[in-house]
PDB file of all heavy atoms in Angstrom:
ATOM      1  N   HIS A 228      19.822 -16.122  -7.671  1.00 97.00           N
ATOM      2  CA  HIS A 228      20.038 -17.514  -8.083  1.00 97.00           C
ATOM      3  C   HIS A 228      19.111 -17.897  -9.227  1.00 97.00           C
ATOM      4  O   HIS A 228      19.520 -18.514 -10.201  1.00 97.00           O
ATOM      5  CB  HIS A 228      19.797 -18.481  -6.907  1.00 97.00           C
ATOM      6  CG  HIS A 228      20.826 -18.337  -5.838  1.00 97.00           C
ATOM      7  ND1 HIS A 228      20.583 -18.655  -4.530  1.00 97.00           N
ATOM      8  CD2 HIS A 228      22.101 -17.886  -5.885  1.00 97.00           C
ATOM      9  CE1 HIS A 228      21.657 -18.402  -3.801  1.00 97.00           C
ATOM     10  NE2 HIS A 228      22.599 -17.933  -4.614  1.00 97.00           N
ATOM     11  N   PHE A 229      17.864 -17.510  -9.077  1.00 98.00           N
ATOM     12  CA  PHE A 229      16.844 -17.869 -10.062  1.00 98.00           C
ATOM     13  C   PHE A 229      17.166 -17.243 -11.425  1.00 98.00           C
ATOM     14  O   PHE A 229      17.175 -17.920 -12.456  1.00 98.00           O
ATOM     15  CB  PHE A 229      15.477 -17.407  -9.556  1.00 98.00           C
ATOM     16  CG  PHE A 229      14.347 -17.670 -10.498  1.00 98.00           C
ATOM     17  CD1 PHE A 229      13.923 -18.969 -10.744  1.00 98.00           C
ATOM     18  CD2 PHE A 229      13.697 -16.621 -11.131  1.00 98.00           C
ATOM     19  CE1 PHE A 229      12.867 -19.216 -11.609  1.00 98.00           C
ATOM     20  CE2 PHE A 229      12.648 -16.859 -11.996  1.00 98.00           C
ATOM     21  CZ  PHE A 229      12.240 -18.159 -12.241  1.00 98.00           C
ATOM     22  N   ALA A 230      17.469 -15.953 -11.415  1.00 97.00           N
ATOM     23  CA  ALA A 230      17.767 -15.267 -12.674  1.00 97.00           C
ATOM     24  C   ALA A 230      19.032 -15.843 -13.320  1.00 97.00           C
ATOM     25  O   ALA A 230      19.090 -16.050 -14.529  1.00 97.00           O
ATOM     26  CB  ALA A 230      17.926 -13.772 -12.428  1.00 97.00           C
ATOM     27  N   GLU A 231      20.012 -16.138 -12.488  1.00 97.00           N
ATOM     28  CA  GLU A 231      21.270 -16.672 -13.027  1.00 97.00           C
ATOM     29  C   GLU A 231      21.082 -18.072 -13.606  1.00 97.00           C
ATOM     30  O   GLU A 231      21.619 -18.403 -14.657  1.00 97.00           O
ATOM     31  CB  GLU A 231      22.348 -16.708 -11.929  1.00 97.00           C
ATOM     32  CG  GLU A 231      22.920 -15.325 -11.628  1.00 97.00           C
ATOM     33  CD  GLU A 231      23.832 -15.311 -10.396  1.00 97.00           C
ATOM     34  OE1 GLU A 231      23.915 -16.341  -9.692  1.00 97.00           O
ATOM     35  OE2 GLU A 231      24.443 -14.247 -10.144  1.00 97.00           O
ATOM     36  N   LYS A 232      20.293 -18.878 -12.898  1.00 96.00           N
ATOM     37  CA  LYS A 232      20.043 -20.244 -13.388  1.00 96.00           C
ATOM     38  C   LYS A 232      19.413 -20.211 -14.779  1.00 96.00           C
ATOM     39  O   LYS A 232      19.788 -20.976 -15.659  1.00 96.00           O
ATOM     40  CB  LYS A 232      19.110 -20.990 -12.424  1.00 96.00           C
ATOM     41  CG  LYS A 232      19.849 -21.636 -11.277  1.00 96.00           C
ATOM     42  CD  LYS A 232      19.548 -23.141 -11.254  1.00 96.00           C
ATOM     43  CE  LYS A 232      20.648 -23.936 -10.553  1.00 96.00           C
ATOM     44  NZ  LYS A 232      20.625 -23.812  -9.101  1.00 96.00           N
ATOM     45  N   LEU A 233      18.410 -19.305 -14.935  1.00 95.00           N
ATOM     46  CA  LEU A 233      17.690 -19.264 -16.216  1.00 95.00           C
ATOM     47  C   LEU A 233      18.296 -18.246 -17.185  1.00 95.00           C
ATOM     48  O   LEU A 233      17.918 -18.204 -18.345  1.00 95.00           O
ATOM     49  CB  LEU A 233      16.215 -18.942 -15.970  1.00 95.00           C
ATOM     50  CG  LEU A 233      15.426 -19.951 -15.132  1.00 95.00           C
ATOM     51  CD1 LEU A 233      13.991 -19.496 -14.958  1.00 95.00           C
ATOM     52  CD2 LEU A 233      15.452 -21.334 -15.758  1.00 95.00           C
ATOM     53  N   ARG A 234      19.185 -17.406 -16.684  1.00 96.00           N
ATOM     54  CA  ARG A 234      19.816 -16.323 -17.471  1.00 96.00           C
ATOM     55  C   ARG A 234      18.776 -15.373 -18.075  1.00 96.00           C
ATOM     56  O   ARG A 234      18.826 -15.049 -19.264  1.00 96.00           O
ATOM     57  CB  ARG A 234      20.722 -16.896 -18.562  1.00 96.00           C
ATOM     58  CG  ARG A 234      21.839 -17.740 -17.955  1.00 96.00           C
ATOM     59  CD  ARG A 234      22.870 -18.140 -18.969  1.00 96.00           C
ATOM     60  NE  ARG A 234      23.678 -19.235 -18.445  1.00 96.00           N
ATOM     61  CZ  ARG A 234      24.410 -20.047 -19.187  1.00 96.00           C
ATOM     62  NH1 ARG A 234      24.445 -19.897 -20.503  1.00 96.00           N
ATOM     63  NH2 ARG A 234      25.117 -21.010 -18.633  1.00 96.00           N
ATOM     64  N   ILE A 235      17.848 -14.981 -17.256  1.00 96.00           N
ATOM     65  CA  ILE A 235      16.792 -14.078 -17.706  1.00 96.00           C
ATOM     66  C   ILE A 235      17.114 -12.653 -17.251  1.00 96.00           C
ATOM     67  O   ILE A 235      17.475 -12.437 -16.095  1.00 96.00           O
ATOM     68  CB  ILE A 235      15.424 -14.514 -17.134  1.00 96.00           C
ATOM     69  CG1 ILE A 235      15.094 -15.922 -17.616  1.00 96.00           C
ATOM     70  CG2 ILE A 235      14.324 -13.531 -17.534  1.00 96.00           C
ATOM     71  CD1 ILE A 235      13.796 -16.455 -17.081  1.00 96.00           C
ATOM     72  N   PRO A 236      16.970 -11.658 -18.151  1.00 97.00           N
ATOM     73  CA  PRO A 236      17.207 -10.269 -17.767  1.00 97.00           C
ATOM     74  C   PRO A 236      16.241  -9.813 -16.673  1.00 97.00           C
ATOM     75  O   PRO A 236      15.069 -10.212 -16.669  1.00 97.00           O
ATOM     76  CB  PRO A 236      16.944  -9.488 -19.060  1.00 97.00           C
ATOM     77  CG  PRO A 236      17.032 -10.484 -20.158  1.00 97.00           C
ATOM     78  CD  PRO A 236      16.657 -11.798 -19.581  1.00 97.00           C
ATOM     79  N   VAL A 237      16.728  -8.987 -15.767  1.00 98.00           N
ATOM     80  CA  VAL A 237      15.922  -8.554 -14.622  1.00 98.00           C
ATOM     81  C   VAL A 237      15.681  -7.050 -14.675  1.00 98.00           C
ATOM     82  O   VAL A 237      16.614  -6.250 -14.802  1.00 98.00           O
ATOM     83  CB  VAL A 237      16.615  -8.910 -13.283  1.00 98.00           C
ATOM     84  CG1 VAL A 237      15.780  -8.422 -12.104  1.00 98.00           C
ATOM     85  CG2 VAL A 237      16.848 -10.410 -13.192  1.00 98.00           C
ATOM     86  N   ILE A 238      14.404  -6.693 -14.564  1.00 98.00           N
ATOM     87  CA  ILE A 238      13.985  -5.296 -14.466  1.00 98.00           C
ATOM     88  C   ILE A 238      13.655  -5.042 -13.007  1.00 98.00           C
ATOM     89  O   ILE A 238      13.012  -5.880 -12.368  1.00 98.00           O
ATOM     90  CB  ILE A 238      12.717  -5.080 -15.324  1.00 98.00           C
ATOM     91  CG1 ILE A 238      13.024  -5.276 -16.803  1.00 98.00           C
ATOM     92  CG2 ILE A 238      12.094  -3.725 -15.059  1.00 98.00           C
ATOM     93  CD1 ILE A 238      11.778  -5.348 -17.662  1.00 98.00           C
ATOM     94  N   THR A 239      14.068  -3.910 -12.472  1.00 98.00           N
ATOM     95  CA  THR A 239      13.662  -3.572 -11.109  1.00 98.00           C
ATOM     96  C   THR A 239      12.765  -2.346 -11.139  1.00 98.00           C
ATOM     97  O   THR A 239      13.121  -1.316 -11.711  1.00 98.00           O
ATOM     98  CB  THR A 239      14.891  -3.295 -10.213  1.00 98.00           C
ATOM     99  OG1 THR A 239      15.863  -2.580 -10.980  1.00 98.00           O
ATOM    100  CG2 THR A 239      15.512  -4.576  -9.719  1.00 98.00           C
ATOM    101  N   THR A 240      11.592  -2.452 -10.515  1.00 98.00           N
ATOM    102  CA  THR A 240      10.683  -1.306 -10.433  1.00 98.00           C
ATOM    103  C   THR A 240      11.252  -0.294  -9.445  1.00 98.00           C
ATOM    104  O   THR A 240      12.249  -0.569  -8.773  1.00 98.00           O
ATOM    105  CB  THR A 240       9.291  -1.736  -9.943  1.00 98.00           C
ATOM    106  OG1 THR A 240       9.403  -2.152  -8.576  1.00 98.00           O
ATOM    107  CG2 THR A 240       8.727  -2.878 -10.780  1.00 98.00           C
ATOM    108  N   LEU A 241      10.595   0.848  -9.333  1.00 98.00           N
ATOM    109  CA  LEU A 241      11.066   1.875  -8.379  1.00 98.00           C
ATOM    110  C   LEU A 241      11.245   1.275  -6.983  1.00 98.00           C
ATOM    111  O   LEU A 241      12.262   1.485  -6.331  1.00 98.00           O
ATOM    112  CB  LEU A 241      10.070   3.036  -8.331  1.00 98.00           C
ATOM    113  CG  LEU A 241      10.455   4.184  -7.389  1.00 98.00           C
ATOM    114  CD1 LEU A 241      11.679   4.928  -7.903  1.00 98.00           C
ATOM    115  CD2 LEU A 241       9.292   5.152  -7.220  1.00 98.00           C
TER     116      LEU A 241
END
Side-chain angles (χ1 to χ4, degrees):
Chain A
H228 292 154
F229 178 69
E231 284 171 353
K232 275 237 156 75
L233 298 179
R234 300 189 196 161
I235 300 178
V237 179
I238 294 169
T239 39
T240 68
L241 181 68

